[in-house]
Amino acid sequence: MYLVLSFFILLGGLVLLFWSADKFVASAVAIAKQLNVSKLLIGLTVVSIGTSAPEIVVTLDAALHGDSGLGFGNAIGSNIANIGLVLGVTAIVVPLPFATSVLKFEMPWLLLATLVVAVILTWDYELSRIDGVILFILLSAGMYQMFRAARKRHELPEGLEDELEDLEEMSKRQAWSWLLVGLVLLGIAAELVVFGAKDIASYFGVPSSVVGLTIVALGTSLPELAATLTAATRGHPEIAIGNVVGSNILNILAVLPIPALILPYALSTVEIWRDLATMFAFTMLLALFAYGIRSRKIVTRFEGAVLLLGYVGYMVIVVAQSAGGG
């Protein structure tokens, strides 16, 4: 019964997390508009980073509770799930083309971010404060470069443009009310997720990073899967890869530095050579689909199946090793 209760607490926390994040982002956008902030700046800051609010607040709460492993697992596991599960399932349903902007900007930044995090973590097997500073500097440089490119084109990337247009209009009173409510509920939701995840990890006798890599990462990726499938089946498959690539960049450059700066985390050999290596391999595989010789610049149904099978195989290995104490 105790385990079932912990699962329900975790599930309830995840549901509340995404609902409150939506309200928080919508109200923040409304306030920014009322303050006459440019649409370009709103899209590239509030909307872009706000969509990663669930991962950010869970990682922040976990680190403040002395558990940086959960945050590390959430960030790395979300990237693996986004490529293996989200793109895999969606590409099987509808083949996914790479937008020109993704090929020219987002994919190179994802490759750079992935390479940098692989190097700094394998260098000393630690997610340190210096690592956090390096990743935040890369985030700032990437946001600045994206802002310059968008201003030159006089438009936002299509995925951000659509998200911005979909947000509901609010009065000033509604916006400030929902901003405060959303912020409070985000904190409560993060507490529930971290509490449930740590209890589940304790029950099974596994590191909390394992729960972050599996249950929490899967939970935070399911809304991405729903949104991506919806966009693809409604005739906008080109948005799917851009959304996932953007989310993965933020997981590395905005989410991962949080535990690094608050409570540096020493990584185990397994976390480096199984989890970090799997994220690196999935990212390189996506790059191969994008830039490989004779590549059609599209994730085909077969390639989607490869990604999905890879994700299932990884999850089986994680669960088997955890059950065996490995």
Side-chain angles (χ1 to χ4, degrees):
M1 281 298 295
Y2 183 75
L3 178 62
V4 173
L5 179 61
S6 296
F7 269 111
F8 272 109
I9 290 174
L10 177 58
L11 180 61
L14 287 170
V15 172
L16 181 60
L17 192 67
F18 283 97
W19 185 83
S20 56
D22 282 343
K23 290 297 183 183
F24 179 76
V25 171
S27 59
V29 169
I31 291 170
K33 285 181 178 179
Q34 291 160 10
L35 295 174
N36 295 320
V37 177
S38 73
K39 184 178 178 181
L40 192 61
L41 192 57
I42 294 172
L44 292 176
T45 54
V46 180
V47 177
S48 179
I49 297 178
T51 53
S52 292
E55 288 89 348
I56 290 172
V57 294
V58 167
T59 301
L60 176 62
D61 191 82
L64 290 173
H65 281 78
D67 193 349
S68 291
L70 179 59
F72 169 82
N74 185 25
I76 300 299
S78 291
N79 276 21
I80 295 170
N82 281 345
I83 296 176
L85 177 66
V86 176
L87 289 186
V89 170
T90 308
I92 290 173
V93 177
V94 181
L96 304 174
F98 286 87
T100 302
S101 62
V102 172
L103 292 171
K104 287 185 176 180
F105 182 81
E106 281 96 336
M107 274 302 300
W109 266 105
L110 177 60
L111 291 172
L112 176 63
T114 303
L115 182 61
V116 168
V117 82
V119 170
I120 62 179
L121 292 185
T122 54
W123 180 262
D124 57 4
Y125 281 43
E126 184 182 18
L127 183 59
S128 66
R129 288 191 173 91
I130 293 176
D131 297 338
V133 171
I134 291 171
L135 295 177
F136 267 137
I137 290 173
L138 269 180
L139 173 65
S140 301
M143 296 296 289
Y144 175 71
Q145 185 74 13
M146 185 182 290
F147 181 79
R148 286 187 60 189
R151 188 170 59 178
K152 190 174 181 179
R153 296 194 309 267
H154 301 292
E155 62 180 7
L156 285 164
E158 190 171 356
L160 286 178
E161 183 78 40
D162 289 345
E163 286 187 54
L164 193 56
E165 293 299 326
D166 287 343
L167 294 174
E168 60 184 290
E169 294 292 331
M170 297 183 186
S171 66
K172 182 179 287 188
R173 183 176 180 179
Q174 285 178 318
W176 281 104
S177 297
W178 277 117
L179 183 72
L180 293 174
V181 170
L183 190 59
V184 170
L185 292 181
L186 272 172
I188 294 172
E191 285 282 334
L192 292 174
V193 171
V194 171
F195 179 84
K198 291 179 75 170
D199 271 8
I200 292 169
S202 176
Y203 182 88
F204 287 107
V206 298
S208 57
S209 62
V210 171
V211 180
L213 285 160
T214 53
I215 302 172
V216 178
L218 180 61
T220 55
S221 292
L222 286 178
E224 187 79 33
L225 174 59
T228 303
L229 272 173
T230 300
T233 54
R234 289 183 178 178
H236 299 285
E238 70 283 351
I239 296 175
I241 297 179
N243 284 346
V244 165
V245 171
S247 176
N248 281 18
I249 292 172
L250 289 173
N251 281 336
I252 294 174
L253 300 182
V255 178
L256 205 53
I258 293 172
L261 294 173
I262 295 176
L263 184 67
Y265 178 63
L267 282 81
S268 67
T269 303
V270 171
E271 288 170 326
I272 290 287
W273 297 109
R274 182 193 64 194
D275 307 322
L276 182 64
T278 298
M279 184 191 78
F280 186 87
F282 267 105
T283 305
M284 293 305 114
L285 187 57
L286 186 61
L288 181 64
F289 295 159
Y291 303 115
I293 298 174
R294 296 182 182 178
S295 169
R296 296 166 53 193
K297 312 302 181 190
I298 188 171
V299 180
T300 65
R301 286 189 170 90
F302 173 76
E303 291 167 346
V306 170
L307 292 174
L308 182 58
L309 286 174
Y311 177 73
V312 172
Y314 167 73
M315 292 293 281
V316 168
I317 290 172
V318 171
V319 172
Q321 288 184 343
S322 300

